[in-house]
Amino acid sequence: MNKHWVMCLAALVGLSACQRSTQLAVRAVAESGDEEVARQQEIIRLLPFDRDSLFTALAALATESEPEPPEYLVALRDSVSAARQLWTDSEAAWNDMRSEMQTLSEQMNEMNRASREYANAYRRFDELDRQIGRLERAKDNFFDTFTGLQDAYRTSADSFNAVLEAWGDRAFERYGEIVDSIIEVRGEEMEDTTDAGGWAYFTVPRGTWWVYTRTTLVFEELYWNYAYESEGGVDTLVLRASNAEVRPVF
């Protein structure tokens, strides 16, 4: 058989396979002010099934309902969140004041001590010096309140999570078995880890897939289970907070 013809045939087969698949680039980003920052080392998975539908179906078949977090735990979580905000705000204000004092001190070293400019700067420095002690005490008190509430919350949350995990072990016992059966028919799931730019890359066979990942914040998680239709060619998808489902975590 002509070698050149064989090489052309192989190239055509490869091209046909590419056309049947989508070269998909998925980027994971976090918002920081008005900018988007790459989420590095994020594991992105493409699944040949809808995991949410599977979990919902199994939960509906469970003999017990999914445990709900008690009201006191939700209220305690909200108290921790509010206390944390007070502490971080006061710490930021304290740091800003220290920075201003440092800048003033450096500027005053270059001034004529007999000048009006120096007198105004000195008055401002003295005013800040009187305030910073009060602000530091407030910051420390807010921190003590936050850590006390956090310790109490963590103890209660651990107890609830143990109950929830035990229920999940019973309700979703067949999850792995069902997934194995789906993969036998639809093919393996795919996985990639985002690079320094937040990108992960996949060659996706035609059909419906679900792009799955999650990232945990303080008291909630951003969750993606995005239905994606692979139609061939080249495509991109950006996962950001605005297209995530926000789920509470305890």
Side-chain angles (χ1 to χ4, degrees):
M1 184 179 290
N2 184 282
K3 183 178 180 182
H4 179 71
W5 187 88
V6 172
M7 291 177 64
C8 288
L9 179 60
L12 286 171
V13 170
L15 179 61
S16 176
C18 289
Q19 289 175 338
R20 287 197 300 271
S21 300
T22 302
Q23 302 305 308
L24 177 65
V26 180
R27 190 173 191 229
V29 298
E31 283 87 351
S32 178
D34 295 331
E35 297 182 356
E36 290 187 335
V37 180
R39 295 208 320 271
Q40 304 176 28
Q41 298 299 305
E42 189 96 3
I43 297 174
I44 310 289
R45 297 166 65 193
L46 260 68
L47 308 178
F49 60 92
D50 180 2
R51 66 191 308 275
D52 287 352
S53 295
L54 182 50
F55 280 122
T56 298
L58 289 172
L61 294 173
T63 56
E64 312 162 70
S65 298
E66 180 177 355
E68 294 289 338
E71 290 185 8
Y72 77 85
L73 182 58
V74 176
L76 188 53
R77 181 197 61 190
D78 293 343
S79 296
V80 174
S81 182
R84 182 178 184 273
Q85 191 64 54
L86 286 172
W87 166 55
T88 55
D89 287 349
S90 64
E91 184 175 51
W94 179 70
N95 283 327
D96 288 346
M97 190 172 291
R98 288 181 64 200
S99 179
E100 185 179 354
M101 291 179 71
Q102 178 64 31
T103 300
L104 272 174
S105 178
E106 292 170 358
Q107 291 173 346
M108 288 163 65
N109 286 335
E110 304 297 324
M111 294 178 187
N112 182 348
R113 293 188 174 227
S115 68
R116 176 172 295 182
E117 183 185 26
Y118 181 88
N120 290 338
Y122 183 84
R123 280 195 295 273
R124 176 57 179 165
F125 187 91
D126 189 52
E127 177 187 347
L128 293 173
D129 192 42
R130 290 194 301 271
Q131 293 177 10
I132 198 165
R134 294 194 296 271
L135 191 55
E136 184 171 17
R137 287 190 294 274
K139 171 183 70 71
D140 291 343
N141 287 336
F142 284 139
F143 178 74
D144 290 342
T145 300
F146 163 65
T147 54
L149 286 169
Q150 186 180 47
D151 289 344
Y153 169 78
R154 194 68 270 155
T155 299
S156 298
D158 287 346
S159 297
F160 169 70
N161 285 328
V163 172
L164 184 62
E165 185 176 345
W167 174 84
D169 288 343
R170 296 189 297 272
F172 306 134
E173 183 179 8
R174 294 190 58 215
Y175 178 82
E177 174 189 343
I178 295 170
V179 168
D180 288 344
S181 299
I182 295 172
I183 286 175
E184 259 188 63
V185 176
R186 292 256 4 238
E188 293 286 339
E189 65 180 59
M190 291 170 278
E191 179 181 299
D192 194 19
T193 302
T194 57
D195 60 18
W199 290 100
Y201 301 94
F202 303 90
T203 298
V204 190
R206 284 181 180 269
T208 305
W209 295 77
W210 281 263
V211 182
Y212 162 67
T213 189
R214 67 210 308 164
T215 186
T216 303
L217 307 177
V218 181
F219 292 115
E220 59 193 16
E221 69 173 8
L222 301 180
Y223 174 90
W224 292 267
N225 186 47
Y226 184 88
Y228 177 76
E229 193 67 32
S230 174
E231 298 177 342
V234 178
D235 201 2
T236 59
L237 175 65
V238 180
L239 303 179
R240 50 170 63 94
S242 59
N243 57 23
E245 179 184 351
V246 180
R247 295 184 169 188
V249 294
F250 293 92

